[in-house]
């Protein structure tokens, strides 16, 4: 049973445009949601997180939006750059953010020059 | 500032052999996690330690798998009698749990150990 779902395996955008990566979850006990970026042959790198009590968190070019009623979150990257090309994982955790991460399957983002 | 390191980076073994992986966390981090990632999937939780105590193990962790974190520093993950289904990327992550709690503890991942069982 997939508790965190990323339904788009891939996304392709033009440099300078907005990238929107989506994530849905089923477990209402999740407290925090995180986005990680992964390049080939490297471990995941933390990007940004959001608490379940908030609906938006912004860090530079990255903004995460959370819609609790819809159990949906999205990561916006503006403007997209070729170096953003990677696999993006949505992850969730419960109990005040101090437990294991539950990951989605990832979305491969390609930013074309 | 060194990040999480894992050794070896790659391991090829024959079915039935035992393998051991090592993870060195970020030095001040008290929590250490092991995850496994197979092709096309996200990382899946295996087990985690707070200091030297193993606090949770996933049902994915069969009795052929054992993990240790002696003295609360580095950790080892051993797989006995490897099977072809054990082929995966094994990821280690560490984090600092605040005694106050109340905020997300960011997990920092190592580069992983890629295991291939022939």
């Amino acid at each position: 049973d997939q508790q965190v779902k990323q339904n788009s395996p891939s996304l392709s955008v033009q440099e300078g445009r907005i990238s929107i990566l989506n994530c849905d979850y089923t477990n209402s006990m999740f407290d925090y949601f995180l986005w990680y970026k992964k390049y080939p042959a490297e471990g995941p790198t933390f990007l940004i997180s959001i608490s379940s009590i908030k609906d938006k968190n912004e860090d530079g070019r990255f903004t995460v939006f959370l819609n609790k009623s819809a159990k949906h979150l999205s990561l916006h990257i503006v403007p997209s750059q070729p170096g953003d090309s990677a696999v993006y994982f949505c992850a969730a955790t419960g109990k005040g953010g101090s437990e294991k991460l539950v990951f989605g399957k990832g979305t491969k983002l390609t930013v074309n020059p | 500032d060194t990040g999480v390191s894992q050794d070896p980076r790659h391991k090829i073994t024959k079915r039935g052999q035992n393998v051991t992986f090592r993870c060195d966390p970020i030095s001040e981090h008290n929590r250490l996690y092991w995850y496994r990632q197979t092709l096309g999937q996200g990382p899946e939780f295996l087990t985690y330690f707070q200091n030297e105590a193993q606090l949770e193990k996933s049902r994915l962790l069969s009795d052929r798998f054992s993990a240790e974190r002696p003295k609360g520093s580095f950790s080892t993950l051993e797989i006995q009698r490897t099977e072809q289904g054990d082929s995966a990327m094994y990821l280690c992550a560490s984090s600092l749990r605040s005694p106050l709690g109340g905020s997300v503890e960011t997990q920092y991942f190592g580069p992983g150990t890629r295991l291939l069982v022939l």
Side-chain angles (χ1 to χ4, degrees):
Chain A
D1 178 30
Q2 194 89 25
Q3 297 187 69
V4 177
K5 300 178 186 179
Q6 294 178 258
N7 293 319
S8 298
S10 63
L11 174 68
S12 182
V13 299
Q14 284 298 120
E15 180 179 4
R17 305 295 290 268
I18 185 172
S19 296
I20 300 176
L21 297 107
N22 294 303
C23 178
D24 297 291
Y25 62 96
T26 58
N27 189 341
S28 56
M29 298 300 291
F30 288 138
D31 271 356
Y32 283 90
F33 302 90
L34 304 90
W35 286 93
Y36 281 81
K37 176 170 74 174
K38 187 178 185 302
Y39 294 118
E42 295 183 13
T45 302
F46 170 73
L47 270 178
I48 191 169
S49 65
I50 187 168
S51 163
S52 60
I53 62 172
K54 297 190 175 181
D55 55 18
K56 178 182 175 181
N57 188 27
E58 192 172 352
D59 183 3
R61 297 186 297 115
F62 302 92
T63 303
V64 57
F65 295 92
L66 175 62
N67 181 335
K68 259 188 98 170
S69 61
K71 293 191 174 69
H72 176 83
L73 62 154
S74 60
L75 175 68
H76 293 211
I77 306 174
V78 182
S80 301
Q81 299 173 354
D84 295 329
S85 297
V87 178
Y88 288 77
F89 290 99
C90 173
T93 185
K95 296 185 181 180
S98 57
E99 300 286 340
K100 63 190 176 192
L101 294 173
V102 180
F103 284 87
K105 291 186 178 184
T107 297
K108 183 177 181 180
L109 173 67
T110 303
V111 180
N112 301 302
Chain B
D1 177 33
T2 57
V4 178
S5 62
Q6 292 187 245
D7 184 69
R9 294 290 305 274
H10 303 274
K11 179 71 177 178
I12 300 174
T13 191
K14 293 183 179 178
R15 188 176 54 184
Q17 297 294 305
N18 299 344
V19 294
T20 300
F21 309 140
R22 176 179 170 125
C23 172
D24 287 273
I26 294 171
S27 58
E28 66 270 23
H29 284 184
N30 52 9
R31 284 200 166 183
L32 187 149
Y33 297 78
W34 285 99
Y35 293 84
R36 180 173 68 186
Q37 185 179 15
T38 53
L39 200 61
Q41 303 294 318
E44 293 176 292
F45 169 78
L46 292 178
T47 187
Y48 87 96
F49 295 83
Q50 179 159 319
N51 300 314
E52 66 274 10
Q54 190 172 16
L55 295 186
E56 185 177 347
K57 292 194 292 186
S58 163
R59 286 172 292 178
L60 293 175
L61 213 65
S62 78
D63 55 8
R64 296 184 298 105
F65 288 69
S66 62
E68 293 183 342
R69 193 183 182 199
K71 303 177 184 178
S73 57
F74 71 92
S75 175
T76 58
L77 178 68
E78 181 183 15
I79 309 174
Q80 295 182 328
R81 306 181 303 280
T82 52
E83 302 173 355
Q84 288 181 326
D86 297 331
S87 297
M89 171 77 84
Y90 289 84
L91 292 162
C92 174
S94 71
S95 66
L96 179 63
R97 169 156 171 77
S98 164
L100 298 176
S103 63
V104 66
E105 66 181 59
T106 303
Q107 293 182 28
Y108 296 90
F109 283 82
T113 294
R114 183 168 294 283
L115 172 66
L116 177 61
V117 182
L118 301 176

